[in-house]
Amino acid sequence: MKSLRKNKIYIDKEALASLALVQEGLLFPVDKLMNEKETQEVDRTKEYKNRTFPFSFILAPSGKKNQEVIKALKKGDKVALVENDRDVGEIEVEEVFTIDPLQRIKNIYGTDDISHPGIKKNLQRLGKYAVSGKFHVIFDDLKRTKELIAKKKKELKAKNVAAIMLAAKPLHRAHERLIRLTMENSDLVVLFLLKPYTEDRFSYELRKKCLEYFVSNYLPKNRVIIAPLENTYIFAGFNELILDAIVAQNFGCTKLVVGKNHAGLGLYYDKNSVKSVFDNIKGITIEIETVSEFVYCNECKTLVSTNTCPHGTHHHISYHADSILELLELGILPPAVLVRKEISAIILSELFPNRFKNLEKLFADLIPNPGLIVKHNEEDFYKELMKLYQTTSLT
């Protein structure tokens, strides 16, 4: 429905999703757009209402029209929020104040180096004037996820609920090992699949399809939930892990599992003990479990933890997602020790549809068959081709 209200602020879906995170209590104790005093205090102390919160939560959308509207607002005014020509919410104005966009970027990213593509993009989204106050938005996705997790917890009488934040781009063997390991000591595992707001050939839907295949075929699926997590601009910086912990806790999880090699963890030694970004937080009670990196060792001939393998790094194959993704984007089947062949088949058949001129001839020439006439698809071909790669008598 198009907005008929005179005062309108135009926002994108990323901003809408960020507002919805607050509305659904997932960034608690934040429950509104912060005013100038709160903004300055939070950015200085990294706390809000005596709880850790890494930076202020504000709305200062760019655009000449937006900025003119915001600048003219007075306390008590109501202003409509419009996304894609739809009325999606309303703000009851508390205050209008100016911000420094570069400082705002630095608060989120830890740097204001505009050569960084993410920083440049988000700087373009920021205006000089911010509006504070209570708000309401229409965004049901998060509400459904909250209800799904609450229902599953009740059904299983789950006390130990673990959260894993995954991009799964692509889903590889180390992800699989991490999920299985987490299930060992959990009644329920919530796989939060990150849902970004940028165009990508490797879409959220494709990543979800791969994760659903793995869960449905190789795990006790009644103890696993795949939940979308709106991966908006607020998660872009070095405070990502703190926000992940806040969100997971507010979704009702009791534990967040992260890899020790995660860039935002910031492990360091202090008086002979290992510390991290989580050692100085307030009000975040969720247990944080850190897991060592998994690698494939060509001496052990299996997937191992770097914490337990006695062989040097020159024997290890790391699960670097960007390198595996590069193979897939070039149309190359990754070795099965890196990505399960069925997952690779799903991805390649999606990325390269109708790739083969005569698929049935390829099957007849290259793939053993039982003599029956069967209709094949590209996914089947990739699976069978991988089996040929895995033969050993001539290699």
Side-chain angles (χ1 to χ4, degrees):
M1 184 179 77
K2 287 193 174 184
S3 175
L4 301 177
R5 194 184 300 275
K6 183 179 179 182
N7 284 337
K8 294 183 280 188
I9 296 175
Y10 293 85
I11 60 174
D12 57 19
K13 195 168 183 181
E14 191 168 357
L16 174 60
S18 298
L19 292 168
L21 284 166
V22 167
Q23 178 173 280
E24 295 302 325
L26 298 173
L27 293 178
F28 179 84
V30 180
D31 59 359
K32 69 182 184 73
L33 291 164
M34 296 178 186
N35 59 36
E36 184 174 23
K37 183 180 178 182
E38 290 167 330
T39 295
Q40 292 173 351
E41 184 75 7
V42 173
D43 288 340
R44 182 178 63 83
T45 65
K46 310 302 179 188
E47 289 183 14
Y48 184 63
K49 297 183 179 178
N50 295 316
R51 291 170 178 257
T52 293
F53 203 82
F55 48 78
S56 55
F57 189 82
I58 63 173
L59 181 66
S62 63
K64 184 179 179 182
K65 192 171 183 180
N66 274 342
Q67 290 290 287
E68 286 176 353
V69 168
I70 293 173
K71 186 180 178 181
L73 292 172
K74 305 296 182 187
K75 184 175 181 178
D77 286 350
K78 291 186 177 179
V79 58
L81 293 169
V82 180
E83 186 268 324
N84 197 25
D85 288 332
R86 293 184 308 116
D87 194 330
V88 294
E90 181 181 78
I91 301 172
E92 185 174 337
V93 179
E94 177 186 350
E95 183 182 22
V96 170
F97 57 99
T98 60
I99 66 162
D100 179 348
L102 268 177
Q103 185 59 47
R104 171 68 176 165
I105 287 293
K106 192 170 185 178
N107 289 334
I108 296 175
Y109 281 89
T111 177
D112 55 7
D113 181 1
I114 59 173
S115 65
H116 185 294
I119 289 178
K120 185 177 180 180
K121 172 179 174 285
N122 280 308
L123 191 58
Q124 291 171 344
R125 301 174 76 250
L126 280 171
K128 184 180 178 182
Y129 293 97
V131 58
S132 70
K134 294 283 187 180
F135 63 86
H136 171 75
V137 292
I138 302 167
F139 193 94
D140 293 332
D141 298 22
L142 290 168
K143 190 185 298 290
R144 285 193 291 267
T145 300
K146 279 177 61 181
E147 291 170 352
L148 174 66
I149 293 172
K151 180 181 178 182
K152 199 66 176 178
K153 283 177 64 178
K154 185 177 180 180
E155 178 188 314
L156 295 175
K157 298 178 181 175
K159 294 181 179 178
N160 300 312
V161 182
I164 302 175
M165 308 295 182
L166 284 172
K169 186 180 175 180
L171 180 72
H172 52 62
R173 295 286 192 175
H175 288 138
E176 294 185 13
R177 178 62 63 88
L178 175 64
I179 294 168
R180 290 184 188 279
L181 187 66
T182 303
M183 292 191 74
E184 290 286 342
N185 300 306
S186 305
D187 302 317
L188 175 65
V189 175
V190 183
L191 304 177
F192 287 103
L193 187 60
L194 304 184
K195 191 175 182 180
Y197 286 86
T198 52
E199 292 294 325
D200 195 332
R201 190 178 176 203
F202 207 87
S203 67
Y204 169 81
E205 287 71 25
L206 175 55
R207 291 182 289 116
K208 183 183 178 188
K209 185 177 180 180
C210 293
L211 195 53
E212 285 176 338
Y213 177 87
F214 171 65
V215 170
S216 296
N217 290 278
Y218 300 104
L219 295 178
K221 59 184 178 182
N222 66 313
R223 291 175 48 217
V224 182
I225 291 175
I226 300 172
L229 180 61
E230 312 301 321
N231 192 28
T232 73
Y233 62 92
I234 65 170
F235 295 93
F238 71 120
N239 294 299
E240 171 201 345
L241 277 178
I242 293 177
L243 290 172
D244 285 347
I246 292 171
V247 168
Q249 178 173 304
N250 288 323
F251 262 120
C253 299
T254 59
K255 178 167 67 176
L256 174 64
V257 180
V258 298
K260 285 184 179 178
N261 60 336
H262 195 293
L265 189 57
L267 288 175
Y268 63 94
Y269 284 92
D270 181 32
K271 296 181 181 178
N272 298 319
S273 62
V274 179
K275 305 288 187 182
S276 80
V277 66
F278 292 113
D279 283 287
N280 297 306
I281 55 178
K282 293 173 63 176
I284 301 176
T285 57
I286 189 171
E287 178 190 349
I288 310 297
E289 181 179 320
T290 56
V291 179
S292 296
E293 181 186 3
F294 294 113
V295 295
Y296 182 85
C297 176
N298 66 3
E299 287 290 314
C300 296
K301 305 297 182 190
T302 190
L303 195 71
V304 295
S305 162
T306 54
N307 218 28
T308 59
C309 180
H311 306 113
T313 55
H314 55 288
H315 288 292
H316 293 167
I317 299 172
S318 296
Y319 289 83
H320 291 302
D322 52 352
S323 296
I324 299 172
L325 183 61
E326 186 173 346
L327 293 179
L328 289 164
E329 289 183 326
L330 290 170
I332 299 172
L333 269 170
V337 298
L338 297 178
V339 180
R340 187 179 292 274
K341 64 179 182 292
E342 293 86 356
I343 299 297
S344 293
I346 291 171
I347 295 170
L348 289 176
S349 58
E350 179 93 9
L351 294 183
F352 299 93
N354 306 312
R355 182 183 193 182
F356 305 105
K357 292 179 181 177
N358 192 335
L359 189 61
E360 294 305 326
K361 184 177 186 303
L362 284 175
F363 259 97
D365 291 348
L366 302 177
I367 308 299
N369 68 80
L372 301 174
I373 299 175
V374 181
K375 187 73 174 175
H376 301 100
N377 59 35
E378 291 182 340
E379 215 173 292
D380 298 328
F381 179 70
Y382 288 120
K383 292 176 189 174
E384 295 300 324
L385 188 62
M386 180 60 79
K387 290 179 184 177
L388 293 183
Y389 286 138
Q390 292 174 290
T391 58
T392 58
S393 63
L394 295 177
T395 60

